[in-house]
Amino acid sequence: MSHTLSKNIHVIQNDQDAINAAYHVADFALEGRDQRDQNRQLPFAEVELFSQKGLGGIRIPQAFGGAFVSNKTLAQVFRIINKADSSVGQIPQNQIALLNMIDLLGSEQQKQFIFNEILNGKRLANGGPERNTKDTKTLSTTLSMENGRYYVDGEKFYSTGSSFAHWLAIKAIHPEGYVVLTIVDATALGVEVIDNWNGFGQRTTSSGTVKLQRVEVDPLLIFDERKLVEDVNYRGAFSQLMQVAIDVGIAEAAFEDTLSAVKKARPIVDAQVEKASFEHYTLQEVGKSAVLLDAAILLLDEAAEYLDELDQLSVVSAEQAAKASILVAEAKVYANDAALQISEKLLELGGSRSSLSQHNLDQHWRNARVHTLHDPIRWKLHALGNYYLNNTFPARHAWI
């Protein structure tokens, strides 16, 4: 199950180091973004650079060799990369969320092994929810035991980043009936990764199918998920924080392109102005977009700062975990609206030429629309209303 260790992996030392690395990855990702998006070419080199720069392990605890950057820095790293290419930016969020989960569930030996793999440049992807079950939490994938050996069988979809992964995180039903997280070697016998994701947005995330047929699992790499329910934690808020940052990054890219597109657009005849950038209604719409984007960024930062406060505590109360989810949910609502509305206004304000395929300006809306489907804000708003009116705490899972 061992992999050949990558060479020249940078070890992130601190928060500023992580931000600098993110800009390097973003600059490289931006170069070929449009071509990859239009031709569905997977970003292997860009994802490898992310790993080489050490960004995959930025939230690994310092005791295991990681930098454990702040949540606020983590959000900024994701904003930077997603502004450049939100497909590249979405790919590593599962890894970082899974590492947080392993930190909550794992023994010292388990954490040492997995964290060391990541710090050596290896990648972990999620074998996502299953397609033909009643909801995203229902599983048909099973873990079985024969002659003292464990095997996993099943099929996953929405397996973001699976084509780039050395390890795959697979949830399965244990023979005793509870849910376990298993980490399997992506090159193991019986593993098949199929890049059949054909969504109209986030096209190059490799969010397709993983098939598992009698795949052997190392007992060291089996994690009992019951602990996640038994112990108070804020893993959902942590995971959602990255989703918010992805949407904010998309919104930032769309806003930047809006400014550029308006400056190139011709004014409406009735406006009787020299440039489209002087049109009164255009100025109003750009102003609205700027306020919406700023609000989304501020709410994201506020939520991240609260998670940083909780990181300093040895014990977190149910009330604190609930507040974390609520603050991130508020940020998600604004990030959702910023990404969708600004990317749509870009096309309106840019005029007819903004619809030409060579500009690829529709990618921001396509990416925003697909990514925001992950965690519908109608349920965020429901959770917010229930919290403030009835003091009802949100459910504790990865989506709130």
Side-chain angles (χ1 to χ4, degrees), residues 5-31:
L5 296 183
S6 300
K7 297 178 181 178
N8 304 319
I9 302 298
H10 177 68
V11 178
I12 298 290
Q13 300 296 321
N14 51 51
D15 289 52
Q16 187 59 52
D17 194 11
I19 291 168
N20 293 343
Y23 278 116
H24 281 290
V25 173
D27 288 345
F28 184 50
L30 183 59
E31 289 177 20

Side-chain angles (χ1 to χ4, degrees), residues 185-378:
D185 188 331
T187 64
L189 186 67
V191 175
E192 185 181 6
V193 175
I194 306 169
D195 179 33
N196 59 344
W197 168 247
N198 65 352
F200 62 73
Q202 299 298 81
R203 290 175 171 175
T204 62
T205 55
S206 178
S207 297
T209 300
V210 172
K211 293 183 177 181
L212 307 124
Q213 186 173 2
R214 195 173 163 80
V215 178
E216 187 167 1
V217 184
D218 186 335
L220 176 68
L221 302 180
I222 299 173
F223 300 82
D224 185 345
E225 286 206 6
R226 288 178 294 185
K227 185 175 170 62
L228 293 175
V229 179
E230 294 165 359
D231 299 342
V232 175
N233 61 71
Y234 47 98
R235 74 177 181 101
F238 176 78
S239 178
Q240 283 292 297
L241 189 79
M242 288 181 282
Q243 309 297 347
V244 177
I246 290 169
D247 292 340
V248 170
I250 294 172
E252 288 182 287
F255 185 72
E256 188 172 284
D257 279 348
T258 298
L259 300 182
S260 177
V262 168
K263 290 174 183 177
K264 295 173 185 174
R266 293 184 295 182
I268 299 298
V269 173
D270 293 340
Q272 297 182 348
V273 292
E274 186 180 331
K275 298 178 180 179
S277 59
F278 294 159
E279 284 189 31
H280 292 80
Y281 296 119
T282 296
L283 296 176
Q284 181 184 40
E285 293 299 336
V286 171
K288 286 181 180 178
S289 292
V291 172
L292 183 55
L293 178 56
D294 282 350
I297 292 170
L298 288 169
L299 286 169
L300 171 61
D301 284 347
E302 180 184 28
E305 287 167 1
Y306 186 69
L307 293 190
D308 285 331
E309 289 180 28
L310 297 189
D311 279 352
Q312 305 305 312
L313 305 177
S314 55
V315 178
V316 173
S317 68
E319 290 78 9
Q320 289 168 320
K323 182 179 177 180
S325 288
I326 290 300
L327 290 176
V328 175
E330 290 177 355
K332 184 73 167 69
V333 170
Y334 264 77
N336 175 95
D337 291 353
L340 288 172
Q341 293 178 30
I342 296 171
S343 60
E344 199 279 333
K345 281 294 175 184
L346 158 61
L347 300 173
E348 177 190 336
L349 301 178
S352 298
R353 74 179 65 190
S354 68
S355 68
L356 298 177
S357 60
Q358 65 259 35
H359 302 315
N360 208 37
L361 292 178
D362 60 308
Q363 69 183 299
H364 302 309
W365 183 87
R366 288 188 287 102
N367 292 339
R369 182 64 283 174
V370 168
H371 184 258
T372 54
L373 297 174
H374 283 63
D375 317 286
I377 62 163
R378 61 185 181 273

